């Protein structure tokens, strides 16, 4: 492979804008974007623009970067945008009244869940805006993989996750390669050519969530009205509207 690098701090919108400008200038046409970065279960921290760190990094930064890349994505169509969500979206829907924990008590796992639901809703909203122009968007749950994403986790956090696992089942950890597989499938599968705005896991389209199961996607994470509401809220947060 031939690799090119550029620097971006998703927790600083000035850095995101600079990186997006450089990417569009350097590459011109982009046929595939995988938004794979993120933070998880960190203490209450703030981004450069004072967003709650998980919502600001996992959602707002990726939203702005992707929208700024829209000219290159359209130039590279047909193409796909893959947004890494998580089974953690089951922890919480987006809190539209206080997404940045300015007035409510902070809960790191609730905040993580909100950011991962936002990733799924962004996929719905982006697909609705770009599918007629040849760009489709997907949300992906990669599975549970032991990477540096878990650097903020403590023993009590692993215990909590273990207790949430359905009775009679064990938490299944994937290798890095297994964790990447659904992203690769989402990016390349011919079976998804006419699809978009959906949530994928284990190299398949996820079924609706069922109580007592770790798999499946919650209906609120694919709700079109919530996706539009989140789009409008995020445009307000970044101070920029996108007519895609």
């Amino acid at each position: 492979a031939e690799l090119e690098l550029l620097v971006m701090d998703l927790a600083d919108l000035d850095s995101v804008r600079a990186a997006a400008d450089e990417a569009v200038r350097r590459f011109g046409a982009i046929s595939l974007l995988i938004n794979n970065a993120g933070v998880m279960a960190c203490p209450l921290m703030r981004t450069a623009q004072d967003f709650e760190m998980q919502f600001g990094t996992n959602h707002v930064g990726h939203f702005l970067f992707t929208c700024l890349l829209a000219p290159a994505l359209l130039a590279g169509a047909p193409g796909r945008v893959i947004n890494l969500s998580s089974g953690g979206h089951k922890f919480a829907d987006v809190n539209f009244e206080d997404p940045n924990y300015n007035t409510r008590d902070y809960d790191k796992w609730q905040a993580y869940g909100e950011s991962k639901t936002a990733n799924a809703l962004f996929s719905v909203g982006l697909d609705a805006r770009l599918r007629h122009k040849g760009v489709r968007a997907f949300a992906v749950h990669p599975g549970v993989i032991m990477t540096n994403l878990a650097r903020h986790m403590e023993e009590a956090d692993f215990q909590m996750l273990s207790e949430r696992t359905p009775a009679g089942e064990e938490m299944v950890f994937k290798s890095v390669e297994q964790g990447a597989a659904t992203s690769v499938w989402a990016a390349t599968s011919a079976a998804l050519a006419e699809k978009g705005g959906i949530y994928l896991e284990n190299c398949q389209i996820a079924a609706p969530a069922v109580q007592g199961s770790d798999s499946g996607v919650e209906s609120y994470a694919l709700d079109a009205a919530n996706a539009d509401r989140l789009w409008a809220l995020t445009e307000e947060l970044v101070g920029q509207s996108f007519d895609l």
Side-chain angles (χ1 to χ4, degrees):
E2 294 183 9
L3 306 179
E4 292 194 45
L5 305 177
L6 56 81
V7 176
M8 177 172 64
D9 180 357
L10 282 165
D12 184 348
L13 299 188
D14 292 337
S15 175
V16 172
R17 287 190 169 93
D21 286 345
E22 181 179 352
V24 171
R25 186 171 60 251
R26 191 189 300 181
F27 306 122
I30 297 173
S31 59
L32 176 62
L33 173 65
I34 301 179
N35 289 318
N36 186 63
V39 292
M40 180 176 72
C42 57
L44 179 59
M45 300 189 295
R46 300 287 177 183
T47 68
Q49 284 72 32
D50 210 31
F51 307 136
E52 185 275 316
M53 183 62 72
Q54 298 186 82
F55 184 74
T57 301
N58 297 350
H59 169 61
V60 180
H62 281 125
F63 173 95
L64 179 60
F65 186 62
T66 304
C67 289
L68 291 173
L69 289 186
L73 290 166
L74 294 174
R80 299 182 187 184
V81 176
I82 315 300
N83 295 309
L84 270 288
S85 181
S86 167
H89 81 277
K90 296 173 182 289
F91 292 149
D93 194 355
V94 173
N95 186 303
F96 290 98
E97 283 68 40
D98 184 25
N100 291 305
Y101 285 84
N102 292 321
T103 61
R104 54 189 171 130
D105 292 338
Y106 180 69
D107 181 297
K108 64 183 181 181
W109 285 110
Q110 179 175 293
Y112 180 66
E114 291 167 5
S115 74
K116 294 291 102 179
T117 294
N119 292 147
L121 289 174
F122 176 45
S123 302
V124 174
L126 186 67
D127 189 77
R129 287 161 175 79
L130 294 185
R131 63 189 175 199
H132 300 300
K133 301 176 183 179
V135 179
R136 307 306 302 257
F138 302 88
V140 163
H141 169 39
V144 183
I145 309 107
M146 289 305 297
T147 69
N148 287 337
L149 182 67
R151 62 188 175 275
H152 294 290
M153 290 180 63
E154 302 171 348
E155 185 175 346
D157 295 310
F158 286 103
Q159 180 64 30
M160 181 275 292
L161 293 176
S162 177
E163 291 173 353
R164 286 180 58 93
T165 302
E169 299 181 14
E170 293 184 1
M171 187 184 302
V172 177
F173 289 88
K174 292 184 176 182
S175 68
V176 171
E177 292 81 4
Q178 290 169 332
T182 304
S183 293
V184 174
W185 183 72
T188 62
S189 175
L192 298 173
E194 303 301 323
K195 301 183 185 301
I198 53 179
Y199 179 98
L200 313 174
E201 61 182 1
N202 295 321
C203 295
Q204 59 188 341
I205 299 171
V210 176
Q211 188 172 3
S213 173
D214 271 349
S215 62
V217 57
E218 299 292 342
S219 60
Y220 58 70
L222 296 178
D223 184 90
N226 277 354
D228 285 341
R229 188 178 181 188
L230 178 65
W231 191 283
L233 170 64
T234 315
E235 286 184 326
E236 181 180 338
L237 291 174
V238 303
Q240 187 171 352
S241 296
F242 296 97
D243 184 14
L244 305 183

